């Protein structure tokens, strides 16, 4: 469906033309359509269509009903024309109204002109001008239609002038140029720019000949009247901001005639608006005006609107004697003067809506852009644009230009400084100014994120002045809240964490947070319902806390903050792992925490808050340094252990739990220490420290015995058995697991019984007792299902698949592994899911389906790399290398396996995995016909083997190799006892 208004008004759909009515009904339909889907109140419609006459509501409703029926007859949905809360909106498909499409194309052309693409701009203008089919709004009567028609004609005339100038600038063919500009000049023969362009086209076409008769022969144009232009240009180092510029330019065209750019001090609001004003200046033939309102200047009082109106009226040509006294009288005169004009008004640094309202012009052709540090929620009809710091590349370019540095030569230093200053343009310019005064090194050459003046220098002085202006306007309660928020462990936080720092319920903290948000000291953080402070604002809040709060007050804020995160971590752990045996919940201050109704909600909270939670782990420098908080941080580490195991990072978990164990040893908390040691043993296993894991589990079992906690002792025995199993000693591991099972059975604790059974089954599978292993897997699976432990079910199915594979039952193995994968994905456990995917790759390879195996290995590899899971990455690389060899690509296999070998060398645990990758490298070498190198690799694999299974695979490879070689042809060992390396052997 298309609505044609650039000519006789017509509604077209499916090749037919449908009537929209006549008279005021047609005028109302077109008025709503040209509003672009915005809701227009009854009062505004009556004011525009009936020119302020009252008592027209019933008539309006009648016209709306008729218009809706006509739209439906043309195929429009009934919801296209709706009334909500006393306002009407007409939503047609994007691009279906030719006037709106014309303006969009013209706007895009101006953007391309601004960025130096005149040919692209001319093509867009030609497309826009091609939409015109005659006089606009033909046959539409009425006061509003007349005013709108004049505006359309003015824009059409301006677009023709823009196109003509672009055609001249791009050097269009002289003949085509003359034809184009003759057509333009004939359409508006009294428009001086068009006649001047036509004259220039004739001169270019025949420089020696006199001009032809026609519009260009008109007398020289009179001197243009003075058009006010009081908007300065942007700073010379202004860069980028293209999305914001496009949005402002589009709004100034009419889609949003009142726009407010708000954001924190120093973010570049004024520079952006000045640049946008220069871009759209040709669209406002009656001038571009700017008034600075000093709403955020701490050294000045916000300007009186009456004073500003006096200056604006003088700027548009009124004599001082013609300007009345009083703000209301001046505002009325300002609206009258601008009613028939097309001008742009920039109101910079507004204090609020009350200061802006009297300054708004009265004409439909006018546009207003306001900048403010405060979010003006009460400014009716305004489109708000929140301005954030620019992207890093734009910030680096600004810094380099302002400092006179080569961004390519000094990029690393410039990037470091731009990040250290939060990409804030004001801070970047002040730092650059300091560099220009002492340009021995580029900005950022020093290790501090701030320039040479240091944290008490020019940058902080300027920023503190800007921030303090916002703080001065806050209520006392909001200012106190601000400095307390500076003590939070991260500038990104939820409302409940903020409430804990403020010692208030969340419902009381909300209004104070809203006040800080309106002052641009807080901002919304994406879609996760949290709040954030810019890094430099957070630094100002921390300094405020140091200056304004006592030691006792700061300690209380930190203590409540830690209590909030500790209590939330405990609740998330219990929601995610309800079956686990754990210590009693801690006694904390009364704090509000999320209500986790399901395991998925606990996981989502952890993943959202993970960067903050990691700072609170013991030993992390981002958390409170006071030793008095050691116990709380140890409790957070213990509560997060399960979630960190499922989602990582494992190295941070191991470090935090080690520090937590040390703290609890010093404080003599034996019971809690035992639980932390059990979690630490599991964490150490995940990072490959099997011996340390075994020692921790043994210490944990002793602590459990000392505090008479049998279930904790069973957990520690189970972890000790697992450490021995992973270390390659399944025979030694089995007694520990059997003891753990016996204790769990005695207490009828099914989760502990399932854990011990599952791990014992793995031992039996590796020691050649497959039937008992599979029986134990089935029992463990039943118990996990009984208690609803989906993670336990998934792990059991995955390990069961490996056992079935060892038993020569590949089809059953694939079924088990396939059943495990969706369970892992259901829990969002990407690490575990990637391991199962890698295991599936192995099973497909064993079944001879190497193409599917490659697909599985690649998927596992991508996930493992994104998560930093080196173990799964290594396994997937080895499997992918073997599959490529099997598919006849040994060279590709060597490249992949070389990465696996380097990864194995850098992993904790020394030679773990070395035997596997050496064996795969040898197989690839043998496939290439390099039997000598293959023999070396097979022998090294046998020497590096840590389990009988790995050793048996290496020896079997050597036996296969012997069938292809003469006896005794293997290379001799070197003096160290290892085979001499073959030439070109991959490392």
């Amino acid at each position: 469906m298309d609505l044609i208004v650039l000519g006789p008004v017509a509604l077209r759909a499916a090749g037919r033309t449908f009537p929209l009515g006549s008279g005021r009904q047609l005028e109302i339909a077109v008025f709503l359509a040209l509003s672009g889907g915005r809701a227009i109140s009854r009062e505004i419609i009556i004011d525009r269509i009936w020119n302020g006459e009252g008592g027209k509501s019933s008539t309006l409703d009648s016209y709306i009903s008729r218009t809706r029926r006509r739209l439906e007859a043309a195929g429009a949905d009934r919801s296209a024309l709706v009334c909500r809360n006393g306002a009407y909106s007409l939503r047609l498909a994007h691009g279906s109204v030719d006037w709106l499409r014309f303006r969009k194309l013209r706007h895009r052309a101006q953007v391309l002109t601004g960025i130096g693409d005149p040919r692209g701009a001319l093509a867009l203008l030609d497309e826009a001008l091609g939409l015109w089919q005659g006089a606009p709004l033909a046959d539409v009567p009425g006061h509003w239609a007349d005013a709108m028609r004049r505006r359309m004609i003015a824009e059409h005339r301006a677009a023709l002038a823009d196109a003509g100038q672009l055609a001249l600038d791009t050097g269009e063919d002289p003949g085509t140029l003359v034809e184009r500009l003759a057509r333009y000049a004939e359409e508006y023969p009294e428009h001086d720019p068009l006649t001047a362009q036509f004259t220039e086209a004739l001169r270019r076409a025949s420089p020696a000949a006199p001009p032809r008769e026609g519009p260009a022969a008109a007398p020289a144009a009179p001197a243009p009247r003075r058009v006010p232009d009081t908007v300065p240009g942007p700073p010379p180092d202004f860069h980028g901001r293209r999305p914001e510029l496009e949005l402002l330019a589009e709004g100034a065209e009419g889609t949003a005639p009142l726009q407010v750019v708000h954001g924190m001090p120093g973010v570049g609001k004024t520079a952006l608006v000045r640049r946008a004003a220069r871009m759209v200046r040709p669209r406002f033939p009656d001038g571009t005006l700017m008034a600075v309102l000093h709403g955020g200047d701490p050294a000045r009082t916000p300007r009186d609107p009456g004073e500003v109106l006096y200056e604006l009226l003088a700027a548009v040509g009124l004599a001082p004697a013609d300007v009345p006294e009083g703000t209301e009288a001046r505002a009325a005169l300002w609206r009258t003067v601008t009613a028939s004009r097309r001008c742009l008004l920039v109101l910079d640094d507004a204090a609020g809506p009350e200061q802006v309202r009297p300054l708004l012009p009265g004409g439909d052709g006018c546009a207003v852009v306001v900048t403010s540090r405060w979010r003006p929620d009460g400014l009716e009809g305004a489109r708000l644009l929140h301005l954030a710091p620019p992207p890093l590349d734009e910030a680096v370019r600004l810094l380099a230009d302002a400092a006179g540095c080569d961004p390519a030569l000094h990029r690393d230093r410039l990037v470091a400084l731009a990040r250290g200053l939060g990409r804030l343009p004001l801070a970047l310019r002040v730092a650059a100014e300091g560099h220009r005064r002492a340009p021995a090194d580029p900005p950022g050459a020093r290790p501090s994120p701030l320039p040479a003046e240091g944290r008490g220098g020019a940058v902080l002085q300027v920023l503190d002045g800007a921030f303090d202006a916002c703080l001065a306007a806050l209520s006392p309660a909001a200012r106190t809240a601000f400095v307390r928020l500076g003590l939070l462990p991260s500038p990104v936080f939820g409302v409940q964490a903020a409430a804990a720092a403020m010692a208030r319920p969340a419902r009381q903290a909300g209004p104070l947070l809203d006040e800080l948000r309106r002052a641009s000291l807080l901002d919304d953080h994406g879609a996760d319902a949290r709040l954030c402070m810019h890094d430099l604002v957070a630094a100002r809040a921390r300094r405020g806390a140091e200056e304004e709060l006592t030691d006792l007050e700061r300690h209380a804020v930190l203590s409540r903050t830690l209590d909030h995160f500790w209590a939330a971590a405990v609740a998330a752990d219990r929601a995610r792992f309800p079956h686990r045996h754990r210590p009693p919940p801690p006694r904390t201050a009364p704090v509000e925490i999320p209500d986790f109704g399901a395991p998925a909600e606990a996981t989502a909270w952890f993943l959202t808050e993970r960067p903050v939670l990691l700072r609170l782990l013991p030993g992390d420098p981002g958390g409170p340094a006071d030793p008095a908080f050691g116990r709380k941080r140890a409790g957070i580490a213990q509560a997060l252990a399960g979630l960190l195991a499922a989602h990582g990072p494992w190295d941070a978990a191991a470090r935090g739990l080690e520090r937590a164990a040390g703290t609890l040893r010093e404080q003599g908390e034996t019971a809690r220490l035992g639980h932390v040691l059990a979690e630490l043993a599991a964490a150490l296993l995940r990072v490959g420290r099997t011996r340390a894991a075994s020692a921790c589990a043994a210490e944990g079992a002793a602590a459990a015995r000392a505090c008479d906690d049998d279930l904790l002792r069973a957990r520690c025995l189970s972890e000790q058995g697992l450490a021995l199993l992973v270390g390659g000693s399944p025979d030694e591991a089995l007694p520990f697991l059997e003891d753990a099972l016996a204790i769990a059975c005695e207490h009828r604790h099914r989760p502990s019984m399932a854990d011990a059974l599952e791990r014992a089954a793995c031992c039996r599978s590796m020691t050649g007792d497959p039937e008992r292993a599979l029986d134990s897997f089935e029992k463990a699976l039943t118990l996990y299902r009984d208690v609803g432990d989906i993670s336990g079910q998934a792990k059991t199915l995955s390990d069961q698949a490996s056992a079935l594979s060892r038993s020569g039952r590949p089809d059953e193995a694939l079924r088990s592994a396939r059943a495990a994968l969706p369970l892992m994905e259901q829990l969002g456990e990407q690490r575990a899911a990637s391991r199962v995917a890698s295991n599936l790759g192995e099973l497909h390879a064993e079944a001879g389906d190497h193409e599917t195996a490659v697909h599985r290995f690649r998927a596992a590899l991508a996930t493992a790399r994104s998560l930093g899971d080196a173990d799964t990455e290594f396994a997937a690389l080895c499997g992918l290398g073997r599959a490529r060899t099997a598919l006849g690509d040994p060279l590709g296999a060597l490249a992949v396996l070389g990465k696996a070998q380097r990864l194995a060398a850098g992993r904790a645990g020394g030679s773990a995995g070395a035997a596997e990758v050496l064996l795969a490298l040898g197989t690839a070498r043998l496939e290439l016909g390099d039997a000598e190198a293959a023999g070396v690799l097979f022998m090294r694999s046998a020497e590096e083997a840590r389990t009988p299974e790995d050793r048996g695979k290496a020896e079997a490879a050597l036996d296969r190799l012997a069938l292809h070689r003469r006896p005794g042809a293997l290379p001799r060992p070197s003096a160290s006892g290892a085979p001499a390396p073959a030439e070109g052997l991959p490392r």
Side-chain angles (χ1 to χ4, degrees):
M1 180 183 298
D2 292 313
L3 177 63
I4 309 301
V5 298
L6 301 180
V9 175
L11 181 66
R12 295 174 184 166
R16 297 173 55 195
T17 300
F18 296 85
L20 262 179
S22 60
R24 279 182 169 152
Q25 177 184 330
L26 178 60
E27 189 179 15
I28 291 169
V30 172
F31 173 68
L32 290 174
L34 298 192
S35 298
R38 289 184 293 123
I40 309 296
S41 68
R42 290 171 177 269
E43 293 76 14
I44 291 178
I45 296 175
I46 291 171
D47 180 69
R48 299 292 173 84
I49 304 301
W50 280 277
N51 201 20
E53 296 179 27
K56 300 296 182 182
S57 290
S58 60
T59 306
L60 172 61
D61 291 339
S62 175
Y63 284 154
I64 292 291
S65 296
R66 296 178 196 172
T67 301
R68 183 181 289 113
R69 288 195 295 271
R70 291 180 183 274
L71 289 169
E72 290 175 5
D77 190 88
R78 184 171 180 80
S79 62
L81 178 56
V82 296
C83 177
R84 291 191 180 91
N85 301 320
Y88 293 98
S89 63
L90 175 56
R91 294 185 176 88
L92 299 176
H94 178 71
S96 61
V97 181
D98 57 354
W99 167 245
L100 299 180
R101 193 157 67 248
F102 166 79
R103 302 193 73 201
K104 182 72 173 178
L105 289 166
R106 187 171 174 230
H107 160 65
R108 289 171 56 195
Q110 289 171 331
V111 171
L112 291 180
T113 302
I115 63 174
D117 183 7
R119 295 187 185 279
L122 181 58
L124 290 175
L125 278 177
D126 284 343
E127 182 181 350
L129 293 168
L131 298 172
W132 286 72
Q133 302 177 27
L137 299 180
D139 303 326
V140 181
H143 168 79
W144 171 83
D146 289 342
M148 189 66 195
R149 190 177 296 109
R150 288 193 298 271
R151 176 181 173 185
M152 288 176 161
I153 291 171
E155 290 213 22
H156 183 231
R157 188 169 56 236
L160 289 171
D162 290 346
Q165 189 60 51
L166 288 169
L168 289 167
D169 293 345
T170 55
E172 191 172 71
D173 174 74
T176 305
L177 185 64
V178 168
E179 181 182 351
R180 173 198 288 272
L181 292 174
R183 188 171 66 252
Y184 291 177
E186 287 169 2
E187 193 156 358
Y188 296 104
E190 297 183 359
H191 188 55
D192 296 335
L194 291 174
T195 55
Q197 289 171 2
F198 182 46
T199 301
E200 174 62 16
L202 289 172
R203 187 192 67 76
R204 292 187 185 184
S206 50
R212 298 182 305 185
E213 293 184 0
R225 66 185 179 88
R226 178 178 171 274
V227 176
D229 181 10
T230 62
V231 183
D237 54 22
F238 182 90
H239 290 295
R241 298 288 198 181
R242 181 169 178 173
E244 293 89 348
L245 288 171
E246 289 184 356
L247 191 65
L248 288 173
E250 179 187 357
E253 282 189 336
T255 60
L258 175 56
Q259 303 180 88
V260 180
V261 181
H262 65 99
M264 65 180 292
V267 79
K269 302 180 291 294
T270 301
L272 171 71
V273 169
R274 284 161 54 179
R275 177 70 182 92
R278 285 300 176 96
M279 285 176 56
V280 302
R281 183 166 53 181
R283 280 172 275 178
F284 295 97
D286 296 316
T288 52
L289 304 168
M290 179 170 176
V292 182
L293 305 183
H294 301 311
D297 189 341
R300 303 193 185 191
T301 301
R303 296 186 67 188
D304 179 72
E307 174 192 345
V308 178
L309 285 165
Y310 182 89
E311 292 182 2
L312 291 175
L313 290 166
V316 297
L318 266 72
D322 295 332
V323 179
E325 294 296 325
T327 299
E328 290 186 8
R330 290 177 177 179
L333 179 59
W334 170 244
R335 289 193 293 272
T336 301
V337 167
T338 55
S340 60
R341 301 191 183 213
R342 283 189 51 74
C343 60
L344 172 69
L345 176 61
V346 175
L347 299 174
D348 187 39
D349 197 17
E354 294 75 14
Q355 191 184 28
V356 170
R357 286 193 192 98
L359 308 178
L360 298 179
D364 288 339
C366 296
V368 181
V369 182
V370 182
T371 74
S372 179
R373 295 178 183 180
W374 293 81
R375 190 181 65 192
D377 294 330
L379 196 56
E380 300 81 3
R383 180 168 74 183
L384 304 185
L385 170 59
H386 176 261
L387 191 62
L392 182 61
D393 284 346
E394 291 181 15
V396 167
R397 188 176 173 191
L398 185 158
L399 180 59
D401 281 4
C405 295
D406 184 344
L409 188 60
H410 302 294
R411 178 167 178 79
D412 290 345
R413 293 178 178 182
L414 292 168
V415 166
L417 180 55
R419 283 178 172 155
L421 293 173
R423 312 188 315 278
L424 193 66
L426 175 62
L428 297 173
R429 289 191 174 99
V430 175
E433 176 64 26
H435 167 69
R436 285 199 302 269
R437 290 197 301 268
D441 292 302
R446 300 163 182 86
S448 169
L450 294 179
E453 293 88 343
R455 294 191 174 271
V459 173
L460 287 186
Q461 289 175 13
V462 172
L463 292 177
D464 281 355
F467 296 153
D468 288 348
C470 294
L471 295 174
L474 296 175
S475 65
R479 182 183 177 92
T480 301
F482 173 74
V483 299
R484 289 171 180 263
L485 295 176
L487 295 174
L488 287 171
S490 168
V492 180
F493 48 83
V495 172
Q496 292 173 331
M502 296 157 61
R504 294 174 180 267
R507 58 183 173 78
Q508 294 180 9
L512 298 177
L513 296 172
D514 286 341
E515 185 176 349
L516 294 174
R517 193 189 283 110
R518 287 194 299 274
S520 295
L521 295 171
L522 274 186
D523 194 12
D524 296 318
H525 184 260
D528 61 13
R530 293 188 298 168
L531 303 169
C532 65
M533 280 182 174
H534 187 275
D535 288 343
L536 297 178
V537 176
R540 175 65 185 87
R542 285 193 295 274
R543 291 197 300 277
E546 293 294 330
E547 296 165 359
E548 301 174 28
L549 301 181
T550 66
D551 291 345
L552 187 60
E553 286 173 324
R554 289 196 299 273
H555 186 280
V557 172
L558 293 171
S559 180
R560 282 193 300 271
T561 300
L562 288 170
D563 282 346
H564 163 76
F565 284 107
W566 190 2
V570 168
D573 176 57
R574 291 175 180 270
R576 177 64 181 79
F577 308 105
H579 51 278
R580 286 188 176 173
H581 174 62
R582 52 175 59 84
R587 294 181 180 178
T588 63
V591 289
E592 295 180 55
I593 61 172
D595 181 17
F596 302 117
E601 294 176 7
T603 299
W605 171 83
F606 169 77
L607 295 175
T608 297
E609 296 284 3
R610 178 164 50 184
V612 182
L613 296 168
L614 293 176
R615 294 184 177 189
L616 299 179
L617 294 179
D620 191 284
D626 192 335
F629 297 129
R631 180 176 179 275
K632 294 179 187 284
R633 297 181 73 178
I636 291 173
Q638 188 267 323
L640 292 175
L643 288 160
L644 286 166
H647 304 284
W650 293 344
D651 53 349
R655 287 194 303 270
L657 288 166
E658 282 185 300
R659 292 292 189 97
T663 297
L664 296 175
R665 285 191 194 98
E666 292 174 2
Q667 298 182 355
E669 291 200 37
T670 305
R672 196 170 291 277
L673 172 62
H675 285 277
V676 168
L677 287 169
E679 300 291 1
L680 176 57
L684 291 171
L685 273 179
R686 282 187 287 272
V687 296
R689 296 170 58 187
T690 53
R691 292 184 180 179
S694 182
C696 278
E699 184 185 356
R705 188 179 291 105
C707 62
D708 200 24
D709 188 337
D710 285 346
L711 289 177
L712 175 58
R713 186 158 67 91
R715 164 81 189 278
C716 292
L717 289 170
S718 181
E719 296 296 342
Q720 193 169 3
L722 181 60
L724 291 166
L725 172 63
V726 172
S729 303
D731 290 322
E732 297 178 39
L734 195 54
F736 288 95
L737 295 167
E738 289 175 340
D739 288 347
L741 179 59
I743 296 171
C745 289
E746 180 182 347
H747 289 270
R748 300 180 181 277
H749 192 254
R750 290 181 294 175
S752 299
M753 292 164 60
D755 288 344
L757 277 167
E758 201 275 337
R759 292 170 179 181
C762 292
C763 289
R764 291 191 172 102
S765 173
M766 294 178 67
T767 55
D769 191 357
E771 294 305 321
R772 290 187 66 188
L774 294 173
D775 179 64
S776 295
F777 279 130
E778 287 298 330
K779 290 178 179 177
L781 198 55
T782 300
L783 288 168
Y784 282 132
R785 285 171 178 155
D786 288 345
V787 299
D789 185 350
I790 297 175
S791 179
Q793 295 173 48
K795 179 153 189 342
T796 302
L797 286 166
S798 179
D799 289 338
Q800 184 184 52
S802 299
L804 288 165
S805 177
R806 289 192 189 96
S807 302
R809 297 155 71 174
D811 293 340
E812 294 176 63
L814 275 171
R815 279 197 296 271
S816 290
R818 286 172 179 153
L821 190 57
L823 295 176
M824 295 294 189
E825 292 171 344
Q826 175 185 339
L827 293 172
E829 294 189 2
Q830 290 180 287
R831 291 175 183 268
S834 68
R835 294 192 170 198
V836 173
S838 182
N839 291 344
L840 271 169
E842 297 286 0
L843 293 171
H844 283 294
E846 289 177 11
D849 186 359
H850 297 290
E851 293 285 358
T852 303
V854 166
H855 171 75
R856 293 288 190 184
F857 286 132
R858 284 177 174 163
L861 187 59
T863 303
R865 283 176 171 165
S866 70
L867 299 173
D869 183 356
D871 289 343
T872 303
E873 182 182 356
F874 172 78
L877 284 169
C878 288
L880 184 58
R882 288 191 293 268
R884 283 193 169 181
T885 300
L887 289 169
D889 181 19
L891 287 175
L894 287 175
V896 171
L897 293 168
K899 295 177 184 178
Q901 191 176 31
R902 290 189 292 274
L903 190 62
R907 289 196 304 169
S911 60
E916 181 180 4
V917 70
L918 288 167
L919 182 64
L921 282 165
T923 305
R925 286 288 184 180
L926 188 59
E927 185 72 15
L928 286 168
D930 190 351
E932 295 294 329
V936 171
L937 290 162
F938 291 154
M939 290 180 67
R940 288 177 58 192
S941 176
E943 292 174 354
E944 295 283 356
R946 298 174 62 178
T947 66
E949 184 178 8
D950 286 344
R951 193 173 299 109
K953 289 179 180 178
E955 291 172 352
L958 285 166
D959 290 341
R960 288 196 303 273
L961 181 63
L963 298 176
H964 298 87
R965 304 182 52 182
R966 301 189 313 274
L970 285 176
R972 295 183 180 180
S974 64
S976 65
E983 185 176 350
L985 197 64
R987 295 291 181 186

